[in-house]
Amino acid sequence: MREALVAAAFRLFLERGYEQTTVDDIVSLAGVGRRSFFRYFPSKEDVVFPDHERCLADMTAFLAARDREHEPVRRVCDAARLVLGMYAENPSFSVQRYRLTKQVPGLRAYELSVVWRYERALAEYLRDRFAGRPDGTLRADVIAAAVVAAHNNALRSWLRSDGLGDPGAAVDHALGHVQNTFGRAAGPGPARPPIGPLPAADADDVVVLVCRRDAPLWRVVRELEEAVGRA
Amino acid sequence: MREALVAAAFRLFLERGYEQTTVDDIVSLAGVGRRSFFRYFPSKEDVVFPDHERCLADMTAFLAARDREHEPVRRVCDAARLVLGMYAENPSFSVQRYRLTKQVPGLRAYELSVVWRYERALAEYLRDRFAGRPDGTLRADVIAAAVVAAHNNALRSWLRSDGLGDPGAAVDHALGHVQNTFGRAAGPGPARPPIGPLPAADADDVVVLVCRRDAPLWRVVRELEEAVGRA
């Protein structure tokens, strides 16, 4: 029933345009009554985005596990991949919706509010993980925004290319960029520590840092920051 | 006239609520005709945000200078400060509007669309500055989102505290965080170069980096990345 309503709605949106299609037109084509429509969708806009509520619920449940084992930035990147999964499930539907959303300002506004809810879910998770740390809420908000922007940069490229190919690699690349910028080392296990900064010859002016070539860069940078007193 | 309409509108929004106030109520209190209202504001929502169009135009003009001298991340941070300036010009009005926007879903949606336009303006500037660089559009989108999130994190704290004190310091701190994360050295002039990485004793396994204590951290990190082959 729900799928039939979505299919009827999109057929009419593409044929007549979104604004020109009424809920009555949709239920008539689907062969059901108005009450059935509103049991599934609060408004005509909601039928355009039938899966976001489920996806938001999935994301919230995923993040609610609050598993302290997970590196927080990696965790929100994985949460963002749930959204990609929803789009990638049905490429032709996603591309149709992308085109429709670009044309109809009301749908664009609806989409912005959905994106904002995803971003808030990620930010709330990070605020909890960073609680008590300096600039915890600031870092949480900035990282959540960066994750959403990176995800959407890759997702939109895929939608603009008519949903051809696998969007997973592009989204992984984009989220990897965010993890490199904000995250700790990728793996959950303890990394081999770099050899710390040696006492410099002239401690006032020069820093000598010796590290293993394979040490995680973030650890080396942290050591370096401490050595030069800019942590 | 424009100010009188805004003042009349806000007086009614606070007295009766936003939804219960019509454009007719506003023009009647301001003592002007409906056509005067619509000369200044396309809709009732626009009277709530009377200065965003001007501020967007100011931001666009500021960024259009495309001065290659400016470090790009610093430049978009300065552009974001134009928005803060608009809010800080009239604290009590900004606080009233913040409370109103939290209560009325339609205004919240309007605000999201305005924020999105600011973010796009910053991203377009950065896309131009990063054109031809690896991951140029990705970096542009991520940094624009981070700047907006940092700015809004500080701005909202100030609005929640009833607009007391100077929001400039908090926004500077938040934007400083973004600049430290993404930007190059703060100053426009050439910094004294760090001494480059010396050949390591065992080049396969260990990197020795010698640098001046006062060298900009980003330069040291870049040298380090090149030395370990992860640039």
Side-chain angles (χ1 to χ4, degrees):
Chain A
M1 165 83 85
R2 195 168 181 278
E3 284 68 36
L5 284 164
V6 173
F10 268 80
R11 193 170 141 192
L12 293 168
F13 294 160
L14 294 174
E15 276 175 22
R16 316 182 174 177
Y18 175 80
E19 303 290 3
Q20 289 70 44
T21 301
T22 66
V23 170
D24 284 331
D25 297 333
I26 297 167
V27 297
S28 161
L29 181 62
V32 301
R34 276 176 72 85
R35 280 175 59 188
S36 301
F37 182 91
F38 290 110
R39 197 181 310 140
Y40 293 106
F41 306 107
S43 73
K44 190 173 82 171
E45 281 166 358
D46 293 281
V47 80
V48 180
F49 304 95
D51 297 322
H52 276 304
E53 290 301 330
R54 173 180 62 79
C55 190
L56 269 160
D58 288 351
M59 181 186 277
T60 305
F62 178 81
L63 293 172
R66 292 276 191 279
D67 194 333
R68 298 284 154 181
E69 234 174 65
H70 298 290
E71 195 282 314
V73 179
R74 190 190 179 119
R75 192 72 175 161
V76 290
C77 287
D78 287 343
R81 287 189 180 91
L82 296 173
V83 182
L84 176 73
M86 180 192 68
Y87 280 83
E89 252 173 39
N90 195 338
S92 66
F93 177 71
S94 297
V95 170
Q96 278 179 0
R97 173 167 64 189
Y98 175 69
R99 291 186 192 145
L100 193 64
T101 303
K102 287 218 295 187
Q103 287 160 15
V104 182
L107 295 180
R108 178 77 205 138
Y110 186 102
E111 192 177 60
L112 286 176
S113 75
V114 172
V115 171
W116 182 75
R117 289 170 69 198
Y118 286 121
E119 189 172 320
R120 290 328 298 164
L122 301 180
E124 290 304 324
Y125 170 81
L126 290 172
R127 281 172 173 231
D128 181 65
R129 291 296 305 267
F130 296 161
R133 292 202 212 167
D135 288 327
T137 74
L138 173 62
R139 287 175 56 221
D141 290 0
V142 167
I143 293 171
V147 167
V148 168
H151 173 275
N152 287 348
N153 176 283
L155 173 64
R156 290 206 190 99
S157 290
W158 177 69
L159 292 169
R160 270 196 304 274
S161 75
D162 295 336
L164 293 174
D166 172 22
V171 166
D172 284 346
H173 175 77
L175 294 174
H177 175 78
V178 172
Q179 274 186 260
N180 287 339
T181 303
F182 295 104
R184 304 280 174 83
R192 274 188 292 177
I195 301 161
L198 300 174
D202 175 355
D204 285 329
D205 227 335
V206 174
V207 171
V208 179
L209 185 80
V210 182
C211 64
R212 295 186 66 97
R213 186 174 290 272
D214 61 350
L217 194 56
W218 67 270
R219 293 200 63 151
V220 181
V221 171
R222 188 199 273 177
E223 296 276 357
L224 185 64
E225 280 178 324
E226 279 166 13
V228 299
R230 276 182 277 184
Chain B
M1 163 85 84
R2 195 168 181 279
E3 284 71 34
L5 284 164
V6 173
F10 268 80
R11 194 171 140 191
L12 293 168
F13 294 160
L14 294 174
E15 277 175 22
R16 316 181 175 179
Y18 175 80
E19 304 290 3
Q20 288 71 44
T21 302
T22 66
V23 170
D24 284 330
D25 297 333
I26 297 168
V27 297
S28 161
L29 181 62
V32 301
R34 275 177 72 86
R35 280 174 58 188
S36 301
F37 181 92
F38 289 109
R39 198 180 309 141
Y40 292 106
F41 305 108
S43 72
K44 190 173 83 170
E45 282 166 357
D46 292 281
V47 79
V48 180
F49 304 95
D51 297 322
H52 276 304
E53 289 301 330
R54 172 180 62 80
C55 191
L56 270 160
D58 287 352
M59 182 187 276
T60 306
F62 178 81
L63 293 171
R66 293 277 193 276
D67 193 333
R68 297 283 154 184
E69 235 175 64
H70 297 289
E71 196 281 315
V73 180
R74 190 191 179 120
R75 191 72 174 163
V76 289
C77 287
D78 287 343
R81 286 188 180 91
L82 297 173
V83 182
L84 176 73
M86 179 192 67
Y87 280 84
E89 251 173 39
N90 196 339
S92 65
F93 177 72
S94 296
V95 170
Q96 279 179 2
R97 173 167 64 191
Y98 175 69
R99 291 187 191 143
L100 194 64
T101 304
K102 286 219 294 188
Q103 288 161 14
V104 182
L107 295 180
R108 178 77 205 138
Y110 186 102
E111 191 177 61
L112 285 176
S113 75
V114 171
V115 170
W116 183 75
R117 289 170 69 198
Y118 285 121
E119 189 172 319
R120 291 326 300 163
L122 301 180
E124 289 304 325
Y125 169 81
L126 290 172
R127 281 171 173 232
D128 181 66
R129 291 296 304 268
F130 296 160
R133 292 201 213 168
D135 288 327
T137 74
L138 173 62
R139 287 176 57 220
D141 290 0
V142 167
I143 294 171
V147 167
V148 168
H151 174 276
N152 287 350
N153 175 283
L155 174 64
R156 289 204 190 101
S157 291
W158 178 70
L159 292 169
R160 270 196 303 276
S161 74
D162 294 335
L164 292 174
D166 172 24
V171 166
D172 285 347
H173 175 76
L175 294 175
H177 175 79
V178 173
Q179 274 186 259
N180 286 339
T181 304
F182 295 104
R184 305 279 174 85
R192 275 188 291 176
I195 301 163
L198 300 174
D202 177 353
D204 285 330
D205 227 336
V206 174
V207 171
V208 179
L209 185 81
V210 181
C211 65
R212 297 188 64 98
R213 185 174 289 274
D214 61 350
L217 195 55
W218 67 268
R219 292 199 65 148
V220 181
V221 172
R222 188 199 274 176
E223 296 276 355
L224 185 63
E225 280 178 323
E226 279 167 14
V228 299
R230 276 182 277 186

